[in-house]
Amino acid sequence: MDYRQLGRSGFRVPALSFGTGTFGGKGEFFQAWGSTQVDEAKRLIDICLEAGVTMFDSADIYSGGASEEVLGAALKGRRHEALISTKATFRSGEGPNDVGSSRFHLIEAVDAALRRLQTDHIDLFQLHGFDAMTPVEETLSALDDLISAGKIRYIGCSNFSGWHLMKALATADRYNLPRYIAHQAYYSLIGRDYEWELMPLGLDQGVGAVVWSPLGWGRLTGKIRRGQPLPANSRLHKTSEAGPPVDDEYLYTVVDALEAVAKESGKTVPQIALNWLLQRPTVATVVIGARDEAQLRANLGAVGWNLSAEQVAKLDAASKPVKAYPYWHQTQFGERNPSPVG
């Protein structure tokens, strides 16, 4: 397994991380993802650790905290072999302070996560979303205190706009507070908006990408094809409206290109989609998920090889998005404002 620096830090993470959104299975939404319990989770973690996939990603809202509980129980006795990443910010209770990035909520959320995970520290703690109601200084100061207390080691954010992230970084620099080294962001062959603003920002400011939903919310599994109905066991039946939107014709064009490259390379569609991401600038780790052992082993086949330059170009061309303003205008000034991906 390739290990990469996470942003502008000394922290190294595996190129593939394991997402535990399938652990727990509480509530209709997360049941559609999966309902892995402790015994099966132990087996999946065994496979991950054997392959060098040592970072496990969760969040307090995944199955109402059950994902963290299953992960903590499954890692019992081998916590030292793993890196834990988790997130908070979204509403986790009915109280007026059970949401957001306030000092009150972050301290409560971290302490609750530590209890569920059965650990004394979180290796990477990320804000799950931007809280416009809380001053950035308050949020970063609270995170600084949590770092000083030894409860978290590194911090990141997730689903931020470019200005959200840059404001936080500038505030951190101004007051000598900890900087976000990671941005957990949606990025896939059918969702390339990350490249417009967040990727150049990440390169400039030393923020590594932790990629979520690298298979486009389950659309790049190789099971969805032009003119065919959704597979009966697809989570898209119950979760498509909550996921990233994509035009059907655009999806099928990308899938056609993936299938062509699959025939050339002897790899699967998901392996190619994941490998393409691993070659993109700023990408530190790609979070993969799996309902079962077979799916996990298949996804692990995305590493240890690279697509050719010609194959990357074919996929780039098929997935090239229509850019919003001002990004389409900026391409006309490539001489002094080059795109990080060409």
Side-chain angles (χ1 to χ4, degrees):
M1 180 60 60
D2 177 28
Y3 277 74
R4 304 175 176 193
Q5 300 294 127
L6 184 55
R8 194 176 297 159
S9 78
F11 188 40
R12 294 177 66 82
V13 295
L16 294 179
S17 299
F18 186 80
T20 63
T22 55
F23 288 8
K26 287 188 177 180
E28 184 179 12
F29 181 81
F30 285 102
Q31 273 189 346
W33 284 29
S35 55
T36 301
Q37 300 304 315
V38 175
D39 287 344
E40 187 179 1
K42 287 180 178 178
R43 179 57 184 154
L44 294 177
I45 288 171
D46 284 342
I47 295 167
C48 286
L49 294 176
E50 288 168 7
V53 177
T54 55
M55 190 157 87
F56 300 89
D57 180 72
S58 191
D60 61 353
I61 64 162
Y62 293 174
S63 289
S67 169
E68 290 178 330
E69 290 174 350
V70 171
L71 176 60
L75 280 175
K76 196 168 184 178
R78 50 182 174 172
R79 170 67 178 91
H80 62 287
E81 299 179 50
L83 302 172
I84 291 179
S85 164
T86 195
K87 302 177 289 293
T89 295
F90 295 152
R91 180 164 287 283
S92 57
E94 297 180 0
N97 289 306
D98 293 336
V99 64
S101 300
S102 68
R103 171 177 290 274
F104 183 99
H105 184 238
L106 290 181
I107 291 173
E108 291 283 321
V110 167
D111 285 344
L114 292 173
R115 288 193 296 271
R116 289 190 292 266
L117 291 163
Q118 301 183 47
T119 187
D120 62 354
H121 73 278
I122 294 163
D123 298 288
L124 176 63
F125 180 73
Q126 299 164 102
L127 303 185
H128 215 158
F130 183 70
D131 176 6
M133 303 300 175
T134 300
V136 172
E137 295 87 347
E138 177 182 340
T139 298
L140 292 175
S141 176
L143 293 172
D144 190 29
D145 289 345
L146 288 163
I147 292 172
S148 297
K151 295 182 178 182
I152 57 179
R153 294 187 171 171
Y154 293 93
I155 59 171
C157 58
S158 183
N159 306 308
F160 275 32
S161 298
W163 75 267
H164 295 158
L165 180 51
M166 194 62 241
K167 180 177 181 179
L169 295 172
T171 301
D173 291 346
R174 180 177 182 182
Y175 295 107
N176 195 30
L177 292 167
R179 295 176 115 245
Y180 298 132
I181 62 166
H183 187 196
Q184 187 159 343
Y186 171 59
Y187 187 25
S188 77
L189 263 168
I190 54 170
R192 294 178 58 182
D193 297 353
Y194 170 78
E195 296 173 0
W196 302 353
E197 181 96 4
L198 295 167
M199 181 184 283
L201 191 162
L203 284 170
D204 182 70
Q205 292 293 315
V207 180
V210 177
V211 177
W212 65 263
S213 207
L215 298 181
W217 205 254
R219 294 180 174 96
L220 301 180
T221 60
K223 299 176 182 178
I224 296 177
R225 291 180 169 85
R226 190 188 304 272
Q228 296 184 13
L230 285 177
N233 64 346
S234 173
R235 64 174 175 162
L236 288 167
H237 290 289
K238 293 185 177 180
T239 69
S240 60
E241 292 185 1
V246 60
D247 176 76
D248 285 346
E249 186 55 37
Y250 175 62
L251 168 63
Y252 296 139
T253 298
V254 174
V255 170
D256 288 345
L258 281 165
E259 290 183 334
V261 173
K263 290 179 181 178
E264 294 173 7
S265 63
K267 303 294 183 180
T268 67
V269 165
Q271 288 170 348
I272 292 163
L274 294 170
N275 191 271
W276 178 86
L277 280 169
L278 290 169
Q279 298 186 51
R280 311 306 278 183
T282 73
V283 172
T285 186
V286 173
V287 181
I288 59 171
R291 290 171 179 264
D292 52 43
E293 181 176 336
Q295 194 176 56
L296 174 57
R297 291 191 183 280
N299 286 340
L300 291 174
V303 296
W305 58 280
N306 279 322
L307 294 162
S308 69
E310 293 77 14
Q311 290 168 336
V312 170
K314 182 181 293 185
L315 295 170
D316 286 352
S319 62
K320 186 176 181 179
V322 177
K323 292 184 177 181
Y325 176 81
Y327 309 108
W328 61 261
H329 194 277
Q330 292 168 358
T331 61
Q332 301 172 35
F333 193 37
E335 179 184 5
R336 302 291 290 181
N337 188 30
S339 166
V341 292

XYZ file of all heavy atoms in Angstrom, residues 187-192 195 199 250 253-255 257-258 261 272-273 275-281 307-323 339-342:
343
model
N -15.540 13.614 -4.892
C -14.769 13.716 -6.128
C -14.868 12.369 -6.827
O -14.631 11.321 -6.217
C -13.320 14.065 -5.801
C -12.408 14.366 -6.979
C -12.888 14.824 -8.199
C -11.026 14.211 -6.838
C -12.038 15.121 -9.239
C -10.157 14.509 -7.876
C -10.659 14.954 -9.077
O -9.797 15.242 -10.121
N -15.241 12.380 -8.081
C -15.325 11.138 -8.847
C -15.283 11.475 -10.329
O -15.317 12.651 -10.719
C -16.629 10.385 -8.516
O -17.736 10.987 -9.181
N -15.234 10.456 -11.145
C -15.242 10.670 -12.596
C -16.543 11.301 -13.078
O -16.585 11.844 -14.181
C -15.008 9.342 -13.321
C -13.574 9.050 -13.754
C -13.437 7.599 -14.195
C -13.120 9.993 -14.866
N -17.602 11.225 -12.293
C -18.858 11.878 -12.676
C -19.171 13.051 -11.751
O -20.292 13.551 -11.744
C -20.041 10.886 -12.712
C -20.177 10.129 -11.381
C -19.883 9.906 -13.873
C -21.448 9.325 -11.265
N -18.170 13.483 -10.990
C -18.336 14.633 -10.106
C -17.010 15.339 -9.947
O -16.304 15.152 -8.960
N -16.652 16.188 -10.931
C -15.322 16.782 -10.973
C -15.309 18.262 -10.558
O -14.329 18.953 -10.780
C -14.719 16.614 -12.382
C -14.458 15.153 -12.733
C -13.911 14.978 -14.147
N -12.673 15.713 -14.347
C -12.009 15.758 -15.507
N -12.485 15.089 -16.562
N -10.904 16.467 -15.623
N -12.301 20.011 -8.789
C -11.112 20.500 -9.500
C -11.119 22.011 -9.717
O -10.062 22.608 -9.929
C -11.006 19.803 -10.864
C -10.793 18.311 -10.771
C -10.861 17.632 -12.126
O -11.081 18.334 -13.148
O -10.699 16.397 -12.180
N -9.331 22.072 -5.488
C -8.042 21.456 -5.799
C -6.926 22.492 -5.891
O -5.867 22.316 -5.256
C -8.122 20.630 -7.090
C -6.805 19.956 -7.446
S -6.859 19.091 -9.023
C -7.772 17.614 -8.570
N -24.683 11.907 -19.332
C -23.287 12.124 -18.923
C -22.756 10.878 -18.217
O -21.632 10.411 -18.489
C -23.231 13.344 -18.001
C -21.889 13.645 -17.390
C -20.785 13.968 -18.183
C -21.717 13.636 -16.011
C -19.555 14.265 -17.610
C -20.490 13.934 -15.434
C -19.418 14.252 -16.237
O -18.198 14.544 -15.675
N -22.044 8.116 -20.746
C -20.858 8.419 -21.548
C -19.587 8.044 -20.783
O -18.650 7.454 -21.337
C -20.823 9.904 -21.925
O -21.964 10.205 -22.730
C -19.556 10.255 -22.699
N -19.559 8.388 -19.498
C -18.402 8.048 -18.661
C -18.298 6.540 -18.478
O -17.201 5.958 -18.577
C -18.490 8.763 -17.302
C -17.371 8.290 -16.370
C -18.419 10.274 -17.494
N -19.424 5.875 -18.239
C -19.409 4.421 -18.065
C -18.934 3.736 -19.348
O -18.172 2.754 -19.288
C -20.802 3.912 -17.646
C -20.863 2.384 -17.698
C -21.128 4.394 -16.231
N -16.768 4.878 -21.458
C -15.309 5.038 -21.484
C -14.646 4.107 -20.471
O -13.595 3.512 -20.746
C -14.936 6.490 -21.202
N -15.242 3.976 -19.301
C -14.700 3.074 -18.287
C -14.703 1.623 -18.779
O -13.731 0.880 -18.571
C -15.527 3.177 -16.995
C -15.234 4.371 -16.092
C -16.350 4.549 -15.062
C -13.896 4.190 -15.379
N -11.866 1.108 -21.284
C -10.574 0.986 -20.618
C -10.486 -0.338 -19.862
O -9.414 -0.957 -19.786
C -10.334 2.182 -19.670
C -9.069 1.986 -18.843
C -10.239 3.478 -20.467
N -10.818 0.900 -12.087
C -10.330 1.963 -12.972
C -10.763 3.327 -12.449
O -9.976 4.277 -12.422
C -10.843 1.733 -14.410
C -10.175 0.488 -14.991
C -10.574 2.953 -15.293
C -10.867 -0.057 -16.198
N -12.013 3.442 -12.007
C -12.499 4.716 -11.475
C -11.698 5.139 -10.247
O -11.391 6.326 -10.067
C -13.984 4.605 -11.131
N -8.533 4.097 -9.493
C -7.148 4.356 -9.886
C -7.000 5.722 -10.531
O -5.992 6.414 -10.315
C -6.657 3.248 -10.824
C -5.172 3.304 -11.060
O -4.699 3.972 -11.979
N -4.423 2.632 -10.206
N -7.994 6.140 -11.296
C -7.974 7.485 -11.906
C -7.879 8.545 -10.818
O -7.083 9.487 -10.921
C -9.235 7.672 -12.744
C -9.381 9.016 -13.384
C -8.866 9.414 -14.600
C -10.102 10.147 -12.874
N -9.223 10.720 -14.855
C -9.977 11.189 -13.824
C -10.841 10.378 -11.716
C -10.567 12.451 -13.636
C -11.422 11.616 -11.519
C -11.280 12.637 -12.471
N -8.653 8.387 -9.757
C -8.624 9.350 -8.654
C -7.259 9.384 -7.978
O -6.770 10.449 -7.598
C -9.690 8.999 -7.616
C -11.114 9.426 -7.920
C -12.071 8.760 -6.943
C -11.263 10.941 -7.855
N -6.642 8.219 -7.815
C -5.372 8.144 -7.103
C -4.247 8.854 -7.849
O -3.195 9.117 -7.265
C -5.002 6.677 -6.858
C -5.877 5.958 -5.830
C -5.623 4.459 -5.850
C -5.633 6.509 -4.427
N -4.455 9.185 -9.107
C -3.451 9.903 -9.877
C -3.716 11.404 -9.946
O -2.962 12.129 -10.592
C -3.373 9.324 -11.297
C -2.959 7.861 -11.331
C -2.739 7.350 -12.737
O -2.020 7.951 -13.535
N -3.373 6.234 -13.068
N -4.749 11.880 -9.268
C -5.102 13.298 -9.353
C -4.348 14.121 -8.315
O -4.068 13.643 -7.201
C -6.602 13.502 -9.155
C -7.479 12.596 -9.981
C -7.168 12.664 -11.458
N -7.817 13.828 -12.092
C -7.742 14.087 -13.398
N -7.019 13.317 -14.190
N -8.368 15.143 -13.881
N -4.038 15.375 -8.630
C -3.353 16.246 -7.665
C -4.150 16.414 -6.377
O -5.381 16.416 -6.398
C -3.243 17.581 -8.421
C -3.319 17.215 -9.873
C -4.245 16.047 -9.940
N -3.095 3.464 -14.502
C -3.595 3.664 -15.860
C -2.512 4.331 -16.705
O -1.710 5.112 -16.196
C -4.839 4.560 -15.831
C -6.093 3.987 -15.149
C -7.057 5.114 -14.825
C -6.754 2.951 -16.043
N -2.522 4.043 -17.994
C -1.587 4.715 -18.894
C -2.034 6.150 -19.134
O -3.201 6.506 -18.873
C -1.510 3.975 -20.228
O -2.736 4.123 -20.940
N -1.132 6.981 -19.631
C -1.477 8.369 -19.948
C -2.604 8.423 -20.974
O -3.487 9.291 -20.898
C -0.245 9.100 -20.461
N -2.604 7.504 -21.920
C -3.651 7.482 -22.940
C -5.003 7.115 -22.329
O -6.042 7.674 -22.704
C -3.291 6.480 -24.047
C -2.084 6.869 -24.885
C -0.758 6.612 -24.165
O -0.744 5.896 -23.127
O 0.272 7.134 -24.642
N -4.999 6.172 -21.415
C -6.248 5.785 -20.764
C -6.796 6.901 -19.878
O -8.002 7.150 -19.863
C -6.017 4.510 -19.943
C -5.780 3.277 -20.804
C -5.265 2.095 -20.005
O -4.672 2.254 -18.939
N -5.485 0.889 -20.522
N -5.899 7.592 -19.164
C -6.324 8.738 -18.364
C -6.941 9.801 -19.260
O -7.984 10.385 -18.938
C -5.145 9.318 -17.556
C -5.527 10.651 -16.921
C -4.705 8.332 -16.482
N -6.302 10.061 -20.405
C -6.812 11.070 -21.335
C -8.198 10.688 -21.851
O -9.081 11.548 -21.999
C -5.843 11.251 -22.495
N -8.412 9.406 -22.104
C -9.722 8.943 -22.580
C -10.803 9.183 -21.523
O -11.904 9.651 -21.827
C -9.642 7.453 -22.924
C -10.929 6.864 -23.481
C -10.774 5.378 -23.773
C -9.796 5.125 -24.904
N -9.739 3.678 -25.261
N -10.475 8.889 -20.282
C -11.433 9.098 -19.195
C -11.653 10.585 -18.929
O -12.778 11.020 -18.658
C -10.937 8.400 -17.926
C -10.850 6.878 -18.004
C -10.125 6.319 -16.794
C -12.237 6.261 -18.119
N -10.581 11.378 -19.014
C -10.705 12.832 -18.841
C -11.657 13.417 -19.871
O -12.511 14.254 -19.560
C -9.336 13.509 -18.986
C -8.436 13.295 -17.785
O -8.909 12.747 -16.768
O -7.256 13.664 -17.864
N -11.487 12.981 -21.120
C -12.303 13.528 -22.200
C -13.778 13.156 -22.022
O -14.677 13.985 -22.215
C -11.786 13.032 -23.539
N -14.039 11.905 -21.643
C -15.424 11.455 -21.483
C -16.122 12.148 -20.318
O -17.333 12.372 -20.354
C -15.458 9.945 -21.283
N -15.350 12.498 -19.275
C -15.953 13.061 -18.062
C -15.793 14.571 -17.956
O -16.164 15.154 -16.937
C -15.318 12.414 -16.826
O -13.926 12.697 -16.764
N -15.273 15.204 -18.982
C -15.026 16.647 -18.926
C -16.333 17.393 -18.646
O -17.284 17.310 -19.421
C -14.417 17.130 -20.231
C -14.002 18.595 -20.209
C -13.315 18.988 -21.511
C -12.884 20.458 -21.475
N -12.198 20.865 -22.732
N -16.390 18.126 -17.551
C -17.650 18.796 -17.194
C -17.782 20.163 -17.847
O -16.790 20.771 -18.271
C -17.534 18.938 -15.672
C -16.064 19.092 -15.436
C -15.363 18.284 -16.499
N -19.004 20.655 -17.900
C -19.250 22.040 -18.307
C -19.013 22.909 -17.076
O -19.682 22.749 -16.053
C -20.692 22.217 -18.820
C -20.960 23.675 -19.159
C -20.924 21.335 -20.036
N -18.069 23.818 -17.158
C -17.684 24.598 -15.992
C -18.616 25.786 -15.771
O -19.111 26.386 -16.719
C -16.247 25.104 -16.140
C -15.208 23.991 -16.099
C -13.794 24.559 -16.159
C -12.764 23.446 -16.036
N -11.378 23.958 -16.060
N -4.507 25.248 -15.006
C -5.316 24.242 -14.300
C -4.387 23.182 -13.725
O -3.424 22.764 -14.384
C -6.302 23.599 -15.266
O -6.865 22.426 -14.693
N -4.649 22.696 -12.507
C -3.798 21.656 -11.938
C -3.911 20.319 -12.648
O -3.070 19.449 -12.474
C -4.286 21.557 -10.487
C -5.676 22.075 -10.510
C -5.700 23.139 -11.569
N -4.964 20.145 -13.458
C -5.160 18.869 -14.145
C -5.086 19.006 -15.662
O -5.483 18.115 -16.392
C -6.515 18.232 -13.754
C -6.481 17.797 -12.313
C -7.666 19.166 -14.003
N -4.573 20.143 -16.137
C -4.411 20.323 -17.571
C -5.643 20.806 -18.288
O -6.685 21.017 -17.697
